[in-house]
Every structure is written in structure tokens, then in C-alpha cells.
Amino acid sequence: MDIRFLDELLHAAGQDPLAYRRALLGKNPRSLAVLNKAAQLSGSGTPLPLRCARGISLHDSFGTHAALVLEVEAEQLFSATTSKLRNSLFAAAVDWCETNVLR
């Protein structure tokens, strides 16, 4: 399943994508740790200003676990479906081959 589609379904159902991911990671403590660290660094859970959105991603590969949080702001609205976006925050946490968690 395309994870972007999952987030749209969760949003439509009124569920928090971060909480849903945390529930899925109960048996994967390294992924859960980087997800929680990236969420903490980004201030996840705090209300966003108007025209702002927050996205989160998680990736595991070759013994490394990484989580990223990106916030964007619509600086200029051109139409109901088009706007100019600006990155307002980027937070990352990485567990590199079981050695540490970096930011």
C-alpha cells in the first residue's frame, strides 16, 4: 500500500498518522525510537498555523533506521489546488547500524 494513501485515509477517519505508526511499531523498538525522536524534535502534536502541514516518514534499510518530519507552509495561494510551498521545518533521527541516534 502506498503510505501517502494511508495518511489520506487516516486523515479522513480523523486519526493521527503518528499515533497509528507508533501502534504498528510495537515490536520494532529501533524504528519506534527514531520515530519518537523525530517527532520530539519537530514539536509534533503542537497545533500548526493556518496554511501549514506536517508530514512524517520512516525507513529501515541495511540495519539503519531513519525517521523524517517535514513541515511546509503555503506562502502564496494561486488557486484552490495550487500554491507556492516553503519548507518551514525539517527534523531527522537516524539509528545507524545499532550504534546511536543522531539528529
Side-chain angles (χ1 to χ4, degrees), residues 13-80:
Q15 293 189 26
D16 178 26
L18 177 60
Y20 188 82
R21 283 174 174 78
R22 284 177 170 148
L24 291 176
L25 294 172
K27 295 183 179 182
N28 191 336
R30 292 178 59 211
S31 287
L32 184 58
V34 294
L35 183 68
N36 287 335
K37 184 65 172 181
Q40 174 197 5
L41 291 170
S42 71
S44 186
T46 58
L48 291 169
L50 291 176
R51 299 189 334 254
C52 290
R54 182 182 293 132
I56 191 160
S57 69
L58 179 67
H59 183 74
D60 301 350
S61 182
F62 301 104
T64 298
H65 301 252
L68 308 167
V69 177
L70 178 68
E71 286 181 13
V72 295
E73 178 181 0
E75 287 185 326
Q76 182 178 3
L77 300 177
F78 298 116
S79 70

